[in-house]
Amino acid sequence: MNTELFEHDYQVLTRRASALHAAPTTTPQELQCRLDEASALADDAIGRLRIAEARLREIEERRSAEDQPPSSERPTGDSVEADHGREQALALLAHELRTPLAVILNSVYYLRLAENDPTAIEHVRELITRQAHRMSKLVDDLLDHSRIARNQIQLCLETVDVGVVVSRVAETIRPLIQSRGHELTVTPPLDRIELTADPNRLEQILINLLTNAARYTPPGGKIRLTACREGDEVVMRVRDTGIGIAPEAADRIFEPFTQLNRGAGHASEGLGLGLSVVKALAERHGGAVTCTSAGPGRGCAFTVRLPLTRPDVGHEPTSA
């Protein structure tokens, strides 16, 4: 699947939604202008999502139209399983795109009914903005997965202060964690630790882990982020008091498009790519990530280990 086809459309949509959200409203004329802009943005989003769904249907139709191979060339069990996994991924992507599309369609309807109600317009505008960001995140995950699969992830390495990265991540993620009713505790390194790494990708690793913890921890849970030095490694851990996983699933959770059964009332979110991206980025830095859990209902702990001194991986220039 050529995920770059989606990138431009949704980056444009996200930028326009963010600009609309930030603009002030002071007069009836400006309010009407904002209404027109929001309605146009929603119409644009609908058109772009319909194009995306059409592209997905084309992929599915091409697959179903292909001739069956001769018996001697029929796929083996492994290839059948891989094809099934790809079909499941396509179905998941279509479902995830269809959900924000439904919200935006409803938003268009209510926008046109709420022309003289600033409060309603503001609410709908926030809905459109939130769904645009959600679609942008889906596309970002797909692009990262595609680049990782083709070994085209580029690291911009520099000397990084681990404590600064941890503090910056905590500031970024805290609103999400608080919105879900959790308590976040952050323990940065006691002493300054410098690491040669890509600071943006390092932040992405921690944000993905913390987002995962927030999603699968019931309201009122506790999430803890720690970073320290252990021997010749930097060790960063994200622990939660969430719903946990079966110990035998601890390795499988890092596979792309994995949606483990989290139990009743805990529907999975996203495409199941966040943890696979974490694993790939940690390995690209010469490190590793592991997951441990005492079982369902007993929380999870994710540990990222990165070497302080390591081979010169990631320096080669590659197209992103």
Side-chain angles (χ1 to χ4, degrees):
M1 179 170 50
N2 185 2
T3 52
E4 278 84 353
L5 292 174
F6 301 106
E7 179 178 23
H8 176 70
D9 283 352
Y10 294 110
Q11 285 185 349
V12 169
L13 183 62
T14 302
R15 286 196 299 269
R16 290 179 60 192
S18 298
L20 179 60
H21 183 76
T25 300
T26 56
T27 67
Q29 291 80 9
E30 289 176 343
L31 181 61
Q32 183 60 49
C33 181
R34 296 282 292 288
L35 172 63
D36 293 341
E37 290 177 4
S39 181
L41 177 61
D43 288 338
D44 195 13
I46 293 168
R48 294 174 190 275
L49 277 171
R50 284 177 174 161
I51 290 172
E53 286 198 301
R55 288 168 177 165
L56 287 172
R57 283 195 298 271
E58 289 174 6
I59 293 171
E60 292 170 345
E61 289 169 1
R62 272 203 311 273
R63 288 179 182 274
S64 62
E66 291 175 353
D67 294 332
Q68 289 290 331
S71 58
S72 61
E73 298 178 9
R74 283 178 186 167
T76 63
D78 288 344
S79 61
V80 168
E81 185 176 348
D83 285 342
H84 180 63
R86 283 192 291 271
E87 293 299 334
Q88 285 186 318
L90 282 172
L92 179 61
L93 174 60
H95 171 74
E96 289 292 334
L97 288 174
R98 195 172 290 119
T99 300
L101 172 60
V103 175
I104 293 173
L105 281 169
N106 289 331
S107 298
V108 173
Y109 174 75
Y110 286 114
L111 270 177
R112 289 165 179 162
L113 292 180
E115 294 186 2
N116 299 314
D117 187 344
T119 301
I121 291 173
E122 177 70 16
H123 173 68
V124 173
R125 187 166 56 85
E126 289 178 355
L127 280 177
I128 294 172
T129 302
R130 191 158 56 246
Q131 295 306 316
H133 281 292
R134 177 178 177 179
M135 289 184 288
S136 179
K137 179 63 167 63
L138 289 173
V139 173
D140 286 343
D141 285 347
L142 278 169
L143 287 170
D144 276 339
H145 171 69
S146 176
R147 289 165 181 158
I148 288 167
R150 292 175 297 173
N151 196 29
Q152 291 184 331
I153 283 287
Q154 181 179 4
L155 299 184
C156 299
L157 299 178
E158 59 183 76
T159 301
V160 174
D161 184 332
V162 175
V164 170
V165 170
V166 167
S167 298
R168 198 155 51 215
V169 166
E171 182 180 351
T172 300
I173 202 69
R174 199 177 294 276
L176 169 65
I177 290 180
Q178 290 178 342
S179 72
R180 298 197 176 219
H182 306 317
E183 177 186 336
L184 175 64
T185 302
V186 180
T187 306
L190 293 176
D191 300 314
R192 181 182 176 91
I193 302 176
E194 290 188 343
L195 177 71
T196 301
D198 182 328
N200 292 325
R201 293 300 188 178
L202 198 56
E203 288 182 28
Q204 184 179 0
I205 288 172
L206 295 178
I207 287 174
N208 280 10
L209 291 177
L210 289 164
T211 299
N212 189 73
R215 284 175 175 172
Y216 296 112
T217 298
K222 298 182 184 299
I223 299 172
R224 185 175 182 184
L225 168 62
T226 64
C228 64
R229 176 172 181 166
E230 294 183 6
D232 58 355
E233 294 179 322
V234 175
V235 179
M236 296 171 288
R237 291 189 175 92
V238 174
R239 298 184 178 91
D240 63 60
T241 57
I243 60 177
I245 60 172
E248 61 270 19
D251 291 331
R252 189 157 51 91
I253 201 171
F254 293 104
E255 296 175 3
F257 299 106
T258 297
Q259 297 279 13
L260 297 181
N261 182 6
R262 298 287 188 145
H266 295 287
S268 296
E269 301 179 34
L271 296 173
L273 291 174
L275 293 179
S276 70
V277 170
V278 166
K279 180 176 183 289
L281 291 178
E283 291 174 349
R284 187 79 170 126
H285 280 86
V289 58
T290 57
C291 172
T292 57
S293 175
R298 303 184 67 178
C300 287
F302 289 87
T303 302
V304 179
R305 294 180 177 273
L306 302 179
L308 287 170
T309 57
R310 58 181 182 76
D312 217 10
V313 299
H315 277 295
E316 65 275 19
T318 55
S319 58

